[in-house]
Amino acid sequence: MKAYGTVFKYGDNVDTDVIIPARYLNSSDPAELATHCMEDIDREFIHKVKKGDIIVAEKNFGCGSSREHAPIALKAAGVGCVIAETFARIFYRNAINIGLPIIECPEASKGIEAGDEVEVDFDSGIIYNRTKGTQFKGQAFPEFMQKIIEAEGLVNYINRQ
């Protein structure tokens, strides 16, 4: 399983209220949430993001409230993967549960810039920056996690069993 896309880069402590502002939580429709994704930190994000693009962030991505809406908004906006130095634990679980691939890799977080073209191989954990010709080793996804992501989330995975 792989992801490939252009990078959007953010810093430390990108919280769930920045990913999807609370004022839009009156909807649970993924498409509606996507239209407001990242707007408080990057007004142009939703106009520039393409299916498969990758977010790279620094420490503690997804901190704040435990709402599922944040990874749902990212996935619905077309984000193919989030790479960060670290993730808030509940965000990490929510992302996997809804089928959004995420990978922790401090070196990639520091060595990848906005606009770089990046490929992620989830089988090996290799993150390849095509723009710079550099490579980083993140945590490979266990087979069961890849199956959850391929099924578009934990509920779909369980229903298929």
Side-chain angles (χ1 to χ4, degrees):
M1 196 169 92
K2 292 187 179 188
Y4 173 79
T6 302
V7 168
F8 290 83
K9 180 85 182 257
Y10 303 102
D12 290 336
N13 302 312
V14 175
D15 67 45
T16 55
D17 284 329
V18 169
I19 297 168
I20 182 65
R23 63 188 174 273
Y24 301 115
L25 296 180
N26 57 345
S27 174
S28 60
D29 175 42
E32 175 63 24
L33 294 171
T35 66
H36 302 290
C37 188
M38 306 299 279
E39 76 179 26
D40 284 355
I41 194 172
D42 182 353
R43 291 259 216 223
E44 294 302 309
F45 174 81
I46 198 59
H47 304 292
K48 292 181 179 178
V49 68
K50 294 179 188 71
K51 186 169 176 52
D53 282 348
I54 296 171
I55 288 179
V56 175
E58 294 175 13
K59 294 177 188 163
N60 205 25
F61 188 88
C63 59
S65 72
S66 61
R67 68 176 68 111
E68 264 185 343
H69 296 75
I72 289 170
L74 290 170
K75 184 177 174 187
V79 173
C81 178
V82 181
I83 301 167
E85 187 170 336
T86 60
F87 290 92
R89 292 295 101 193
I90 193 71
F91 180 88
Y92 189 96
R93 290 298 303 256
N94 283 337
I96 298 303
N97 286 347
I98 62 98
L100 175 67
I102 60 176
I103 190 165
E104 289 184 338
C105 184
E107 297 79 15
S109 173
K110 290 173 179 45
I112 297 173
E113 301 299 326
D116 288 353
E117 297 290 321
V118 170
E119 182 177 322
V120 181
D121 182 332
F122 299 113
D123 294 323
S124 66
I126 298 295
I127 300 164
Y128 179 64
N129 185 331
R130 290 184 174 189
T131 303
K132 295 180 179 172
T134 54
Q135 184 171 290
F136 309 95
K137 179 74 168 109
Q139 182 70 37
F141 275 32
E143 185 179 341
F144 80 93
M145 283 176 66
Q146 289 190 46
K147 288 180 179 179
I148 291 169
I149 290 166
E150 287 171 358
E152 299 288 318
L154 183 60
V155 172
N156 290 339
Y157 173 75
I158 291 170
N159 287 336
R160 291 180 185 176
Q161 298 304 309

